[in-house]
Amino acid sequence: MTVVDWLLDSDPSIRWQVLRDLTDAPADEVAAGRARVAREGAGAQLLALQAADGRWGGAAWNRGWNSTMHVLWLLRHLGLDPTSAEARRAVGLVRDRVTWQGSGPQECDGNPFFAGEVEPCINGQVATAGAYFGQDVRGIVDRLLGEQLSDGGWNCEAPHGSTRSSFNTTICVLEALLEHERAGGGTPEVTEARLRGQEYLLERRLFRRRSTGEVIERDRKGGAWSRFAFPTWWHYDVLRGLEYLRRAGVAPDERVAEAIELVASKRDGDGWWPLETRHPGRMPVETDEGEGRPSRWNTLRALRVLRWHEQAGA
C-alpha cells in the first residue's frame, strides 16, 4: 500500500482532500467525496454532538478544546461543505443562539458568537471558522486590524504592555484574514495587514529569532514549534506556518527552505509522518491513532506543503 492509498483508505474528511490536493482527481469525484463529510465519520460525529441551544461542550469557548469554537475550527479543517444543509443548520444555530455568556470577559457576555470577544488569538479562530462558514465577521476583522503591532504581528499580551508579536497569536489572525479574503471580504486594508503579518513569519524563517537568528525551540507556553500536532488549536508550529503560506498562494523563497527541510526530515521510512505531540484537552472526536503513531493528518498536511514547494521550483 502506498502512502496515498493509506490516506485514501481513511475518514471521508481526509480522503476528499487527498483527492483534491494530491491526486488531482476530477472535480465531481472530489465534490462527491466532500459531501460524505457531513454524513459519515468524524464530521458526522461532530455534528451529532451539537446541543439544541447551538453549543458544543456547553460553551462558546473553553480550555478543554471541545467547545463551540473548537468544533467549528475542526469542522473547517475536515472540510465540511459550508453550503451543505448540515452545515447551514449547525452554523445557523450558533449564529442565532450562542453568545459568549460565561466564556470570556464579563463585558462580552451578551456578544453573539460571531462578534467574538477580546483576545486576538481567540477572535482569530472565531473569524476563521465564521468566514469559512459564510458568516459576517467584519466586526472581528476590523478589531484585529486595529490590534496589529509595529513589527507586523499580533499578541494577546499587547494590552498588558507587550510590544513584540507572538507567533501563536499571529498565525491565528493570519488564517482569519486569509479566510475572510477568500470569502469575498478582502479590502486593501485587510490584504495589507495580512501581508505585513506574513512577512513577520518569513523574516524569522518561520522559527528563528529575528534579532539573533537563534532557533526558537519552544514558546513561553511550552509549545515546541518543531513538533507537529493535529489539531493545533491556538498553537503555532512550523508545519502550520507552511500550511498558511501554501493556502495563501505565496511563492516560496529561500526563507522557507530550512522549514521545508525540517518537514521533510520528519518523514518515516514508510513514507508517513507521526503525530509528534498532542496538546492537552478533551478531543470531541478522535482524529488520529495517538501520539507517536502514524498520523494521516500530519502526513496529508506535510505532503501538501512539500508538493507546493516542489511545484514552485519546477
Side-chain angles (χ1 to χ4, degrees):
M1 180 181 287
T2 67
V3 173
V4 170
D5 288 337
W6 175 65
L7 291 173
L8 289 171
D9 183 27
S10 62
D11 192 88
S13 59
I14 295 175
R15 178 181 170 82
W16 87 266
Q17 295 184 61
V18 174
L19 291 171
R20 181 191 63 184
D21 299 330
L22 300 182
T23 73
D24 300 320
D28 58 346
E29 185 179 356
V30 173
R34 188 182 195 184
R36 294 174 56 199
V37 175
R39 304 191 302 265
E40 304 172 33
Q45 292 172 43
L46 287 170
L47 289 169
L49 292 173
Q50 186 179 29
D53 65 5
R55 299 185 299 175
W56 280 270
W61 174 90
N62 63 22
R63 296 186 183 277
W65 318 146
N66 65 343
S67 73
T68 303
M69 187 199 78
H70 295 101
V71 172
L72 289 178
W73 185 100
L74 193 51
L75 285 170
R76 168 185 169 267
H77 278 272
L78 299 186
L80 176 67
D81 186 347
T83 67
S84 67
E86 294 87 350
R88 291 199 303 270
R89 177 187 180 280
V91 176
L93 284 173
V94 174
R95 181 192 61 235
D96 297 339
R97 300 185 183 182
V98 179
T99 70
W100 286 86
Q101 178 74 38
S103 294
Q106 196 169 20
E107 65 267 25
C108 299
D109 277 355
N111 285 9
F113 180 79
F114 291 111
E117 49 117 91
V118 297
E119 291 199 16
C121 57
I122 293 175
N123 280 340
Q125 293 171 85
V126 172
T128 299
Y132 176 82
F133 285 112
Q135 300 305 300
D136 183 359
V137 294
R138 286 175 295 178
I140 294 180
V141 168
D142 288 344
R143 180 182 182 114
L144 292 172
L145 295 184
E147 294 172 334
Q148 190 169 27
L149 298 176
S150 61
D151 61 9
W154 287 263
N155 193 334
C156 287
E157 298 300 320
H160 307 295
S162 178
T163 58
R164 292 189 299 178
S165 293
S166 153
F167 276 66
N168 291 322
T169 305
T170 298
I171 194 65
C172 291
V173 175
L174 284 176
E175 290 171 348
L177 298 183
L178 178 61
E179 202 66 66
H180 183 60
E181 288 179 89
R182 289 166 67 103
T187 65
E189 293 76 17
V190 170
T191 302
E192 179 184 0
R194 183 176 61 78
L195 293 179
R196 284 182 59 212
Q198 184 174 293
E199 282 299 307
Y200 171 86
L201 296 183
L202 288 168
E203 287 172 354
R204 292 156 179 81
R205 297 177 181 264
L206 278 72
F207 67 131
R208 289 187 175 274
R209 299 188 189 282
R210 185 183 180 191
S211 56
T212 65
E214 172 191 7
V215 170
I216 305 172
E217 295 288 351
R218 292 182 178 273
D219 60 32
R220 291 194 301 165
K221 301 289 186 179
W225 294 354
S226 62
R227 294 177 61 80
F228 305 150
F230 186 85
T232 58
W233 305 133
W234 57 269
H235 300 274
Y236 175 84
D237 63 44
V238 170
L239 181 55
R240 184 177 182 181
L242 287 168
E243 275 258 274
Y244 160 77
L245 295 174
R246 180 191 69 84
R247 292 192 76 247
V250 175
D253 59 29
E254 56 89 23
R255 293 177 294 178
V256 307
E258 193 175 13
I260 288 288
E261 289 174 6
L262 176 65
V263 171
S265 75
K266 305 277 188 174
R267 189 174 196 168
D268 180 84
D270 293 322
W272 46 258
W273 279 256
L275 183 67
E276 292 188 286
T277 189
R278 184 169 174 171
H279 299 301
R282 299 183 299 277
M283 283 292 291
V285 299
E286 292 300 329
T287 56
D288 264 315
E289 296 180 10
E291 191 171 334
R293 300 282 297 162
S295 165
R296 283 184 169 88
W297 278 106
N298 276 355
T299 299
L300 167 62
R301 295 164 63 225
L303 287 175
R304 282 196 295 217
V305 160
L306 294 180
R307 192 179 197 219
W308 159 73
H309 188 258
E310 290 163 2
Q311 290 180 338

